[in-house]
Amino acid sequence: MKFKTKDISHFKDYIRENKTVTIITHYNPDGDAIGSSTALFRYFKLIMKDVCIVVPNYIPHSIEFLLENTDYIIAEADFKKAKKRLQETDLLIIADMNDNSRCGDNLEKILNELNCKKVLIDHHVLPFGYDINFSYPEASSTCEVVWNVLYRLSGKKVFPPDISTSLYAGIMTDTGSLSFSCNDPGLYIVISNLLKSGIKANKINQKIFDTYSKNRLSLLGYAISRKLRVFDKQRAAFIAISLSELEKFNYQPGDLEGVVNYCLKLEGVDFCALISERDKKIRMSFRSKDESIDVNKFARKYWNGGGHVMAAGGKSFMSLSEVVKCFTEQIYNMDFIVKD
Ligand code: 5GP
Ligand code: MN
């Protein structure tokens, strides 16, 4: 991962000159969001900064353990406190998101008005301009970028086990346990250095991936056996699921994490989606098996979203049935192959 020398030296200046550091990450945080934020928290704590994480909303149970012994504010639970913290911060680190809009409307407004120094550490395409942009869309995860940034800041390759645990967790969640975004040899050097701190990879994997409730596992079974629609000719598939169906399985945030990937397990399917009804909107997740189907472009063009070439998300404020109708037409028209 190539870094501009001036970016690292400016970041060092910002860290030296500023005492209060706040880390913010995206709405509906995943393992990479919480992994990168907590690793950065721990690093700043080690160098004696006044540091805090602002998380926009609910943290899924399977990654909650990463937040042990950190200071964090969930903005949806205590917006006033999150706002105050952000307004008082000297240095803001934006982790695992490329744009202020990714942390929700209320926080976006506050971020847009902040005058402090802002440093982005991320791997999504098209980053919004911050004071420093450590933006590496080719990286597997933000956690991989964080390791590289910390290595250049500190000169060290092996960090304390709690930092390594956070970074390892983010890499594993964002690569589906090294099954995608996993072709770069540099990634395995990072993982090797994380393991050198003595962390137990198998135990972390169990904590993240083997913590399903019975309801969550049943919801997965229901989604695949009852809700999967496959379009053989178009090599596409999707699952659409309503709020009332989710409620039958006592849906908890994070319970649909990873469900979209099951559609791609079908031989002959190159593009897929998970469409799920939430309180006030429809959430969309898109995946593809090949760079020639750029779901980031598709999500940006049609579904108010974005992400990566082979994994992206979006949203709609139409009804579930309207979204399904429109999306089905897009499949028949092969609109998911977006021409420039
Ligand atoms: P997921 O489908 O797992 O929620 O998200 C897949 C990828 O797309 C993630 O990298 C995520 O950050 C990105 N993504 C998900 N939803 C949105 C969205 O609404 N807007 C943008 N720009 N990116 C999104
Ligand atoms: Mn990520």
Side-chain angles (χ1 to χ4, degrees):
M1 202 172 286
K2 284 214 169 64
F3 283 74
K4 291 188 198 123
T5 321
K6 84 169 180 5
D7 284 347
I8 292 293
S9 74
H10 284 163
F11 195 22
K12 280 185 182 169
D13 292 343
Y14 291 176
I15 294 170
R16 200 181 41 250
E17 290 159 7
N18 296 296
K19 189 172 175 298
T20 309
V21 182
T22 304
I23 301 153
I24 190 156
T25 191
H26 62 80
Y27 201 80
N28 292 335
D30 55 13
D32 195 29
I34 299 299
S36 54
S37 302
T38 52
L40 287 163
F41 174 94
R42 294 184 166 110
Y43 179 79
F44 284 113
K45 203 77 187 169
L46 273 185
I47 58 167
M48 312 295 283
K49 294 290 167 186
D50 167 356
V51 57
C52 183
I53 306 169
V54 172
V55 185
N57 66 333
Y58 188 92
I59 298 143
H61 166 64
S62 62
I63 50 172
E64 252 178 333
F65 73 97
L66 297 172
L67 285 146
E68 272 165 27
N69 303 318
T70 67
D71 297 316
Y72 64 96
I73 304 166
I74 299 180
E76 236 170 49
D78 195 342
F79 188 71
K80 249 176 137 174
K81 196 170 169 196
K83 182 177 171 182
K84 185 165 180 285
R85 175 73 202 188
L86 287 165
Q87 289 174 336
E88 286 173 358
T89 202
D90 303 321
L91 175 59
L92 181 72
I93 314 286
I94 298 107
D96 199 38
M97 60 182 223
N98 53 351
D99 192 305
N100 293 347
S101 66
R102 290 284 289 125
C103 56
D105 293 346
N106 296 337
L107 284 175
E108 180 187 5
K109 277 189 209 124
I110 293 174
L111 292 197
N112 288 345
E113 286 163 8
L114 294 184
N115 289 319
C116 65
K117 292 289 179 203
K118 302 182 192 81
V119 176
L120 173 88
I121 307 184
D122 183 44
H123 70 133
H124 295 93
V125 291
L126 304 176
F128 180 81
Y130 296 97
D131 294 296
I132 305 175
N133 294 294
F134 293 110
S135 170
Y136 293 86
E138 69 283 4
S140 66
S141 52
T142 297
C143 282
E144 184 189 352
V145 185
V146 169
W147 184 89
N148 277 279
V149 171
L150 296 186
Y151 164 48
R152 281 155 182 91
L153 285 178
S154 67
K156 295 197 177 97
K157 291 187 177 176
V158 180
F159 297 102
D162 55 356
I163 294 184
S164 300
T165 297
S166 288
L167 295 178
Y168 176 85
I171 292 173
M172 287 304 136
T173 48
D174 253 30
T175 61
S177 300
L178 297 175
S179 65
F180 37 82
S181 299
C182 56
N183 294 333
D184 176 10
L187 171 63
Y188 298 85
I189 293 171
V190 172
I191 295 170
S192 168
N193 280 302
L194 296 177
L195 295 179
K196 280 181 193 163
S197 73
I199 58 170
K200 297 285 173 267
N202 61 336
K203 292 291 169 199
I204 303 171
N205 292 339
Q206 279 171 18
K207 275 192 176 175
I208 304 169
F209 299 115
D210 302 340
T211 52
Y212 278 45
S213 64
K214 194 163 173 294
N215 270 323
R216 181 176 174 185
L217 200 58
S218 303
L219 172 62
L220 172 65
Y222 173 78
I224 295 170
S225 62
R226 306 281 295 279
K227 307 299 295 186
L228 178 67
R229 285 184 62 186
V230 183
F231 301 79
D232 290 320
K233 193 157 163 271
Q234 291 76 17
R235 301 178 68 86
F238 75 83
I239 289 171
I241 199 143
S242 70
L243 197 56
S244 65
E245 287 169 312
L246 291 178
E247 279 163 0
K248 272 188 209 147
F249 294 92
N250 187 27
Y251 174 80
Q252 300 297 313
D255 280 359
L256 285 174
E257 198 65 47
V259 172
V260 63
N261 297 314
Y262 284 89
C263 305
L264 276 197
K265 289 192 182 294
L266 286 166
E267 196 172 10
V269 167
D270 299 328
F271 166 75
C272 70
L274 173 72
I275 303 170
S276 58
E277 187 180 21
R278 304 301 166 89
D279 261 351
K280 291 187 188 102
K281 64 179 174 207
I282 307 295
R283 270 277 309 146
M284 323 266 292
S285 277
F286 307 108
R287 297 291 186 271
S288 91
K289 258 186 200 150
D290 194 90
E291 278 100 353
S292 62
I293 302 174
D294 185 334
V295 291
N296 166 54
K297 282 189 186 159
F298 176 72
R300 275 176 192 275
K301 186 167 177 185
Y302 298 107
W303 297 105
N304 305 303
H308 311 278
V309 175
M310 294 197 278
K315 57 183 172 296
S316 170
F317 298 98
M318 296 191 291
S319 70
L320 180 64
S321 58
E322 282 170 329
V323 170
V324 166
K325 185 168 174 280
C326 176
F327 184 69
T328 306
E329 277 165 19
Q330 289 179 330
I331 289 184
Y332 283 123
N333 294 333
M334 306 285 281
D335 287 338
F336 51 87
I337 302 174
V338 180
K339 311 260 176 347
D340 283 318

